[in-house]
Amino acid sequence: MKRAALYIRVSSEEQVRHGFSLGEQRADLERYAQMHHYAVVDIYADEGTTARKSLQKRKELQRLLDDVRAGKIDIIVFKCLDRWFRNIRDYYKVQDILDAHHVDWECTQEKYNTTTTNGRLMLNIKLSVAQNESDMTSDRIRYINEGKLRRGEVLNGRVPYGYVVKNRKYVIDEDAAKVVRMIFERFSVGDSSRRIAQDIYAAFGVSLSMRRVRTISQNPAYIGTYRGMEDYHPAIVPRDIFARAQEVIKAHPRPIRKGRTYLFSGKLLCPSCGCRLVGRYRPAMQGAREKIVYLCGKRIGTGKVTGEDVCKFKGTVSESLIERWLVEHMAELVEEYIANAAKGSKKNLKTAERKKKAAEAKLSRTKELYIDGLIEKDELKRRAAEFQHDIDEAALEIERSRTRIPDNIVLLRSQLDEFPTMYENLDRLHRREFWQSIIKCIRFPMHPRRPGMKRDMFFVELY
């Protein structure tokens, strides 16, 4: 029996125009797999994703290819070719991977024979037509955006600090603009990001990290440049000050610290403000070994630890303490994770199935009301679209609830007896890779600072 992967893709626009809903595609693929006696390995659904989006941004497609490389799949099934690709180059990139692992693909609504010259010709023609249609859509969107640019309107994206959007245009926020001007003036005379962040907090009560300060200092939006177009919107900073700040930044680049490996960077959450903790080396003193500790990133950015809107966590967390605790409690963490995953999946599955049945019942009753002449056709369409959306959402939630325990957790569980010894033999880089791949975040309670006190309790969330 062939092991089949069912691939679904739908963009929000296509769902509205053509009815390519997730629920419809899934039902079609499951019927096809059952008819051909395929064993369904998994369902991969890229929701709200266009086929022209880069391969790396189609996350479910990447997960599917990982399973192909792992030898878990014999055949891939999708509704029609444009659900798979609308880009000839990307199609053949993926096809090379499938050929290397002897994996075939089939469409439920279209038939292709890639073993003959004519079959390959028809395939290329179909892909070319789909790509042309997508290109024409892109051209229409580009035309609309060019019109907005001519009118001086903002297209999209994050609004730079110091501006607000009014009537689709950037307008200066004078209160925030004072902070921006201070950043450029201080950079232009050679001040550091740390000192600038501290002085901003002292002067304005605004908490900005050092990274945010440096990012602001290099953004040409503050001299009125938008997407390479000068004088597109009001400038906050004069051009001469901006140019001087760039010269100083270029002459004093951020130092690259070599040989420093932080095992839990980005994983520890501050118990006061929820900010990510940042690793720091504490130099050796009086013959003692140097030590790695973690402290709140907000504290590093502002130098302040008091006030209502600023972090109140004054302490540090020792990396060696966290490492020892995790190694000692790894077996408990893994077993608890597996038990909670099974329990949560079962509960979520039942809830999603109830929602799906309720939406299907409402859709059926709505159709009966229309047949009986109790509602108009427009009302039928409105209600049907609403209930179908609920059905699709519930179907997707059902699929998520059936998610298996990740392979890395299963493998770790099988090696728990040897884990302490195996971990001891890893170098720091491989230890960091292990913790980064398995830990989502680490929380801990905020204790008062006392000499010699250890934190012996951590709340660990695994992927």
Side-chain angles (χ1 to χ4, degrees), residues 4-259:
L6 309 185
Y7 181 75
I8 302 171
R9 185 194 63 78
V10 63
S11 66
S12 55
E13 180 184 359
E14 287 171 329
Q15 183 166 345
V16 172
R17 286 195 304 166
H18 305 300
F20 286 152
S21 67
L22 289 175
E24 177 192 344
Q25 289 188 59
R26 176 178 174 173
D28 177 56
L29 299 184
E30 288 179 337
R31 283 194 301 269
Y32 186 90
Q34 185 177 7
M35 185 186 308
H36 290 76
H37 305 289
Y38 292 157
V40 177
V41 174
D42 206 344
I43 299 177
Y44 306 81
D46 276 317
E47 183 178 7
T49 306
T50 68
R52 293 299 302 277
K53 186 173 282 189
S54 66
L55 296 177
Q56 288 71 26
K57 292 183 179 180
R58 293 170 65 178
K59 295 182 180 180
E60 285 295 280
L61 175 62
Q62 291 301 318
R63 186 168 72 88
L64 188 155
L65 294 178
D66 288 341
D67 288 347
V68 167
R69 296 185 185 99
K72 299 178 181 179
I73 296 169
D74 299 319
I75 192 166
I76 301 170
V77 181
F78 41 85
K79 184 173 183 178
C80 47
L81 191 61
D82 63 4
R83 300 299 90 203
W84 185 234
F85 280 107
R86 289 187 175 183
N87 182 300
I88 299 174
R89 183 180 59 184
D90 287 347
Y91 167 80
Y92 281 107
K93 283 182 181 179
V94 171
Q95 189 62 42
D96 287 342
I97 298 173
L98 302 187
D99 290 341
H101 294 85
H102 310 290
V103 175
D104 298 322
W105 56 262
E106 292 179 355
C107 299
T108 63
Q109 303 296 320
E110 300 169 343
K111 298 298 179 184
Y112 295 95
N113 182 4
T114 58
T115 61
T116 66
T117 302
N118 285 337
R120 289 191 292 271
L121 175 62
M122 293 302 297
L123 174 65
N124 285 330
I125 291 174
K126 179 70 175 180
L127 285 169
S128 298
V129 171
Q131 181 170 334
N132 180 67
E133 180 184 347
S134 183
D135 288 341
M136 291 176 65
T137 302
S138 297
D139 289 342
R140 289 194 294 270
I141 294 172
R142 191 180 301 112
Y143 177 79
I144 293 171
N145 288 342
E146 287 174 355
K148 289 183 177 180
L149 290 173
R150 286 194 299 271
R151 294 190 296 271
E153 297 178 2
V154 177
L155 299 182
N156 51 39
R158 185 174 180 179
V159 179
Y161 181 81
Y163 289 98
V164 293
V165 177
K166 292 184 178 179
N167 298 323
R168 301 180 182 178
K169 296 185 179 182
Y170 281 152
V171 178
I172 295 175
D173 179 352
E174 288 300 335
D175 290 336
K178 296 176 183 177
V179 176
V180 173
R181 294 186 185 104
M182 179 178 179
I183 290 174
F184 281 94
E185 290 167 358
R186 297 290 295 277
F187 262 116
S188 65
V189 296
D191 274 348
S192 67
S193 303
R194 181 190 295 273
R195 178 63 62 84
I196 295 171
Q198 292 173 351
D199 290 349
I200 285 173
Y201 181 79
F204 302 103
V206 176
S207 176
L208 297 177
S209 67
M210 293 185 294
R211 178 179 296 180
R212 183 82 182 279
V213 167
R214 196 174 183 90
T215 300
I216 290 173
S217 70
Q218 296 172 299
N219 191 345
Y222 296 109
I223 56 173
T225 300
Y226 181 75
R227 299 200 172 201
M229 301 174 65
E230 297 183 356
D231 300 322
Y232 191 82
H233 56 257
I236 293 178
V237 179
R239 290 182 178 273
D240 57 338
I241 294 180
F242 181 87
R244 175 58 183 162
Q246 304 317 301
E247 291 176 4
V248 173
I249 292 170
K250 186 176 181 180
H252 300 85
R254 297 180 66 179
I256 300 175
R257 298 176 177 175
K258 298 182 178 180

Side-chain angles (χ1 to χ4, degrees), residues 247-296:
E247 291 176 4
V248 173
I249 292 170
K250 186 176 181 180
H252 300 85
R254 297 180 66 179
I256 300 175
R257 298 176 177 175
K258 298 182 178 180
R260 296 190 172 185
T261 303
Y262 300 100
L263 301 183
F264 307 107
S265 58
K267 301 299 180 181
L268 289 158
L269 300 182
C270 176
S272 172
C273 66
C275 185
R276 302 282 176 177
L277 268 61
V278 179
R280 286 290 182 267
Y281 267 74
R282 180 169 288 176
M285 299 179 63
Q286 298 180 353
R289 296 175 60 186
E290 65 179 3
K291 185 179 181 182
I292 298 177
V293 296
Y294 293 83
L295 64 162
C296 182

Side-chain angles (χ1 to χ4, degrees), residues 349-412:
L349 179 61
K350 289 183 177 179
T351 302
E353 286 176 342
R354 284 199 301 269
K355 289 181 179 178
K356 186 170 182 289
K357 288 181 179 178
E360 288 173 342
K362 290 179 181 178
L363 180 59
S364 177
R365 288 197 296 271
T366 300
K367 291 178 179 178
E368 291 175 0
L369 290 173
Y370 174 70
I371 293 172
D372 293 338
L374 299 177
I375 60 174
E376 298 295 331
K377 189 174 183 179
D378 290 343
E379 180 66 13
L380 168 66
K381 289 181 178 180
R382 187 190 67 79
R383 293 190 188 183
E386 179 182 338
F387 297 143
Q388 186 61 53
H389 178 269
D390 293 341
I391 292 171
D392 292 341
E393 289 290 325
L396 188 60
E397 187 62 33
I398 289 172
E399 190 54 42
R400 288 171 180 159
S401 300
R402 290 171 176 165
T403 301
R404 299 165 297 171
I405 303 298
D407 293 339
N408 59 343
I409 299 292
V410 175
L411 178 62
L412 178 59

Side-chain angles (χ1 to χ4, degrees), residues 414-432:
S414 67
Q415 298 174 339
L416 285 175
D417 292 339
E418 298 84 15
F419 174 73
T421 304
M422 293 170 60
Y423 183 79
E424 190 67 27
N425 293 328
L426 297 176
D427 58 28
R428 279 192 65 81
L429 284 176
H430 286 92
R431 290 185 181 187
R432 184 184 188 281

